[in-house]
Each structure stands twice: as structure tokens, then as C-alpha cells.
Amino acid sequence: LKRQGFSSISILQNKKATRKVVLRELKALLVGSSDNDTLVFYISSHGTSIPDLNGDEADGKDEAFCLYDNVLVDDDIRKHIRKYRRSKALIIFVCDCCHSGTITREFVPYQNTATTKSNGSYMKMKYLPPEDDAVAAQIGKMKGRKDSIPQEQMEDLVMSGCKAHEFSYEMRLGGKTHGALTYFICKHIKENTDITYGQLAVLVSNSVGKNSGKRQHPQLEGMKENKKRKAF
């Protein structure tokens, strides 16, 4: 992000990445923004699902990100944005996590294991299954969120690590273990300094899909005009 010209960067890792602190930093990001700013909320963690308590999910489950001390539910993020947004700044949400909990859901019995590929590398799912996964397996493909809106009405951009029914993986890439989405975002931005979000999404999705054996395909959602903006 420094290479892309961002003036303020807050990184929360391990013990610092508590629910309270993450929400506090998100609030500060929103409150301190100006109309011409670009705000990036980037989370790389395990994903999971929890029971939906407000009835806005077709399958009765909310997407959640695993933090150090608790989970951060997708509803919490939306509430924070609605409450603390003070400008027309563009917000980019990048989620290098599994998103298999709310739109469609497929039960995979080996979710917590590492998959070894023929070339000796491996892929490990970034998903923590809830105890009621056996019930979720019977749900099958469901309709989307009850309050979902068309992409052309979205104020912000969302880049997720995979399709709703897929898992995000950690892979051995470049001699080290990386979240596949994060690795290829960084790689393609370095190689293409003037790339747009839309162009970046295509390159990243192709690279991740190829290296995961077509098991994982990153997605970009938002207005066409925002997708034409220079990435980060």
C-alpha cells in the first residue's frame, strides 16, 4: 500500500487483531475520510458461519471472519459503515477468507485438511467449520441475501477470495506459504502499475484458479465505473 501512495496504514496481526480493535480502526478510517479518498479494509483470516439472528440471510447463517478473540460478522461491518461514514470516499473491501456461509453453501468433508498437489505443493482451506455443518450440508444452494442489491447500486467495491460456494486456500507460492488471493494481488499490481480494479480482478482470478486446480475463483463486485478506477 505504501508503494501505491497510501498515507495512513494500520496493520493488526495476531493478539492485536481483536474484535474491539478492528471495529475501532474501521470507525477511525470512516470518520477521518474525505470525499476524494480511497479507503481499503483488507482482511486475511479464516472464515466461518454463525446462526443469523436478524433474519436477513436466506440460509439462516451469517458470514463471519475469525479474529484473535472473537468473530466479526458481516452485519457488524455494514452497521459500522452506515453509522460512521462521513464522506463519499470509495471503500475497497478485500477478504482473503472463505465465504461459504450465506449465499450458497456446499459441505466438504475434508475442510480442515491440506490437499497435496502432484507437484508437491499443497493447499489448505482457510475455513473453520461450525458444529452444525452437517445440517448446512442438507441446505444446498440457497437464494442470496434478502437485502442484497444489484452491483450497479453498490457504493463500494468488494473483492473476495472465492465464489460463495468455494473455499479460499493457503498455498505454497514463491517458496513461502501465502493466502492465494493476497499473493496474486501483490504480484499483478507490481507487474502492472496502472492496472484497474476490473483488470486486476481478471488477472488474479485466472492465476488463483489455475494454481488451485480451478477450485477457487476470486470475485469483484461493484459499479462498472468503480471497477474502471486505478487499483489501490
Side-chain angles (χ1 to χ4, degrees), residues 73-85:
V73 183
D74 53 2
D75 288 343
D76 295 332
I77 297 176
R78 282 190 290 274
K79 289 176 183 178
H80 244 56
I81 294 173
R82 291 167 184 163
K83 184 175 181 179
Y84 296 113
R85 191 168 201 154

Side-chain angles (χ1 to χ4, degrees), residues 10-212:
S10 177
I11 300 176
L12 303 174
Q13 295 177 312
N14 302 324
K15 291 183 179 181
K16 294 183 179 180
T18 63
R19 185 178 183 279
K20 179 179 179 180
V21 174
V22 169
L23 288 176
R24 184 187 69 197
E25 291 297 317
L26 178 57
K27 175 184 175 180
L29 187 71
L30 294 165
V31 172
S33 66
S34 300
D35 288 349
N36 294 324
D37 288 341
T38 296
L39 313 179
V40 178
F41 182 79
Y42 200 120
I43 183 166
S44 179
S45 75
H46 288 287
T48 189
S49 60
I50 65 173
D52 171 34
L53 298 180
N54 63 3
D56 68 343
E57 299 289 354
D59 64 353
K61 295 180 179 295
D62 272 314
E63 296 170 355
F65 311 118
C66 299
L67 302 180
Y68 183 79
D69 64 338
N70 209 321
V71 296
L72 180 61
V73 183
D74 53 2
D75 288 343
D76 295 332
I77 297 176
R78 282 190 290 274
K79 289 176 183 178
H80 244 56
I81 294 173
R82 291 167 184 163
K83 184 175 181 179
Y84 296 113
R85 191 168 201 154
R86 299 289 186 271
S87 71
K88 296 181 181 179
L90 176 66
I91 308 176
I92 314 298
F93 294 93
V94 184
C95 304
D96 195 354
C97 316
C98 291
H99 289 266
S100 56
T102 56
I103 301 176
T104 61
R105 182 180 178 84
E106 291 183 358
F107 181 70
V108 181
Y110 49 87
Q111 299 176 110
N112 272 341
T113 65
T115 301
T116 303
K117 298 168 65 177
S118 59
N119 62 4
S121 62
Y122 72 94
M123 309 189 316
K124 186 176 182 180
M125 295 179 185
K126 302 179 69 174
Y127 179 69
L128 295 180
E131 294 179 357
D132 61 346
D133 244 348
V135 176
Q138 301 173 14
I139 296 177
K141 294 185 177 180
M142 304 294 295
K143 296 180 180 179
R145 297 183 56 87
K146 295 179 181 179
D147 63 349
S148 62
I149 61 174
Q151 289 195 51
E152 287 306 309
Q153 294 180 24
M154 293 174 62
E155 295 182 85
D156 308 305
L157 289 174
V158 178
M159 181 177 284
S160 56
C162 57
K163 292 182 179 180
H165 65 280
E166 296 176 337
F167 293 94
S168 287
Y169 291 90
E170 291 181 350
M171 300 180 189
R172 191 76 175 174
L173 298 163
K176 296 182 179 180
T177 301
H178 305 269
L181 176 69
T182 300
Y183 177 84
F184 285 109
I185 285 178
C186 293
K187 179 179 185 296
H188 288 302
I189 286 180
K190 289 179 181 178
E191 296 174 350
N192 306 274
T193 55
D194 294 323
I195 197 170
T196 67
Y197 287 107
Q199 293 168 336
L200 176 64
V202 172
L203 290 176
V204 169
S205 186
N206 288 340
S207 295
V208 174
K210 178 180 179 181
N211 282 270
S212 67

